[in-house]
Amino acid sequence: MPPGTGTGDPYRVWLSEVMLQQTTVAAVKAYFTRFTTLWPRVEDLAAAEDAAVMAEWAGLGYYARARNLLACARKVSESGGFPDTREGLGVLPGIGPYTSAAIAAIAFDRPETVVDGNVERVVSRLFAVETPMPGAKPILRDLADTLTPDTRPGDFAQAMMDLGATICTPRNPACGICPLVHDCKARALGIAADLPRKAPKKAKPLRQGVAWVGFTNGAVLTERRAEKGLLGGTLAFPSTGWDGSALPAPADADWREIGTVRHIFTHFALDLTVMTAPLRGAPRRGDLLALDHFNPKALPGLMRKVWDLAAPDGLARAGASARNRR
């Protein structure tokens, strides 16, 4: 967890763990600080506007987590607080087996086994488990369970995660200063750096699509994506093709191709062709947002790449002033 989360505060433990899913501590620290400043209690987050939370989340990716974050905060607020057991936590939106165990152990001192990627690496080396990932996950989970103490389980969980993050690292583990070096079977066999083994990666499929960035009278054409699906609930530019849709251009214009952006999602790569033009008349899709009120930082990563490509040409065509070039 980022420094200052405060063991015993389930809101901060929960928030940090959700943010850290698929993301590094270094990337999360600033987001965590900003969220807890804006919404210091779960009740404050529950009362926040969806758009405000999505805008603050921009850059962390995996936007379903942000939607689940709000849904969970509202459910917890309605029920008067977080459940204090893994089972109770596990029924809340966006809280899976790992997160429920982490909150139960760290915030409520429950003897639950917390297994993230760092812990899997430590355990695989400690017991010299050579079964490739992800098939080894159930084995590692059972072995980790044999180590979890009944006393101070939260401290133990964080110590194991820190050990994996700082000493038992993926490459060049610092075995010489590891407190478990004398018990580590992989170290004794000389294979610590090779574990956990990984099954060969499959090549990601490549998708293609089109995004339109239209300008008119000091405004840019945007849309709010549907709550469910890729980049759900985020501010974006009208697009098609890459997300299963097959939609025409959002407005009449002499659309001009200005380039392509590449973006890597978890399960596929994307080449998105960017089109831009001054608009003729009212758009058929999306909303015109005044450039004075447009904040590119509120866009998800893919759409920020689109904006970075389209902005210089489009802003000049729209006659926007330098103060609009954010």
Side-chain angles (χ1 to χ4, degrees):
M1 294 186 305
T5 52
T7 298
D9 183 344
Y11 171 59
R12 288 174 172 249
V13 173
W14 162 73
L15 181 61
S16 65
E17 292 298 339
V18 172
M19 286 186 167
L20 284 168
Q21 293 168 9
Q22 307 293 328
T23 316
T24 64
V25 171
V28 161
K29 285 179 67 175
Y31 286 90
F32 181 85
T33 300
R34 196 158 61 244
F35 264 71
T36 52
T37 299
L38 290 169
W39 305 295
R41 302 174 306 142
V42 68
E43 293 83 3
D44 300 321
L45 182 58
E49 293 184 1
D50 290 32
V53 174
M54 298 302 291
E56 290 298 329
W57 189 270
L60 275 178
Y62 300 91
Y63 289 91
R65 287 186 294 157
R67 297 194 298 273
N68 282 331
L69 191 80
L70 271 170
C72 184
R74 287 163 182 166
K75 189 160 187 175
V76 169
S77 181
E78 290 171 2
S79 60
F82 284 90
D84 62 0
T85 65
R86 179 177 58 81
E87 294 78 10
L89 291 159
V91 301
L92 293 172
I95 296 185
Y98 162 75
T99 307
S100 60
I103 299 171
I106 298 170
F108 298 110
D109 210 33
R110 300 285 188 183
E112 300 291 350
T113 300
V114 183
V115 182
D116 68 352
N118 288 316
V119 175
E120 287 176 340
R121 186 166 55 255
V122 171
V123 174
S124 72
R125 292 170 175 174
L126 189 62
F127 292 93
V129 176
E130 296 197 55
T131 303
M133 298 291 275
K137 284 181 176 289
I139 301 170
L140 300 177
R141 173 65 175 74
D142 290 343
L143 290 171
D145 200 34
T146 68
L147 303 175
T148 301
D150 290 329
T151 57
R152 298 176 63 189
D155 289 342
F156 176 78
Q158 292 180 91
M160 285 287 282
M161 290 187 281
D162 286 346
L163 180 65
T166 61
I167 295 176
C168 195
T169 51
R171 297 179 182 177
N172 303 315
C175 298
I177 59 172
C178 178
L180 303 180
V181 64
H182 299 299
D183 299 309
C184 183
K185 293 182 179 180
R187 169 68 171 176
L189 294 170
I191 59 172
D194 300 327
L195 300 181
R197 301 198 188 282
K198 296 181 180 179
K201 285 186 177 180
K202 295 181 180 179
K204 292 185 177 183
L206 176 64
R207 297 186 188 179
Q208 296 180 324
V210 176
W212 294 277
V213 184
F215 296 88
T216 184
N217 299 324
V220 61
L221 181 60
T222 63
E223 68 177 6
R224 183 71 60 178
R225 291 186 63 81
E227 288 298 320
K228 293 185 178 180
L230 291 165
L231 306 184
T234 61
L235 183 68
F237 301 109
S239 62
T240 192
W242 65 280
D243 54 0
S245 63
L247 300 170
D252 291 329
D254 294 324
W255 294 105
R256 185 172 66 91
E257 180 179 336
I258 58 171
T260 300
V261 298
R262 169 64 64 92
H263 194 77
I264 306 299
F265 287 91
T266 305
H267 302 297
F268 66 93
L270 169 64
D271 281 346
L272 194 63
T273 299
V274 180
M275 311 288 286
T276 186
L279 303 182
R280 294 196 299 265
R284 294 183 293 271
R285 170 184 164 201
D287 299 295
L288 292 171
L289 179 60
L291 286 164
D292 283 337
H293 298 99
F294 173 62
N295 179 10
K297 293 181 180 179
L299 297 169
L302 168 61
M303 294 298 166
R304 269 182 286 163
K305 291 179 182 179
V306 171
W307 174 252
D308 289 342
L309 184 62
D313 178 83
L315 290 172
R317 286 170 175 265
S321 62
R323 63 190 170 86
N324 296 130
R325 299 175 184 262
R326 305 185 213 183

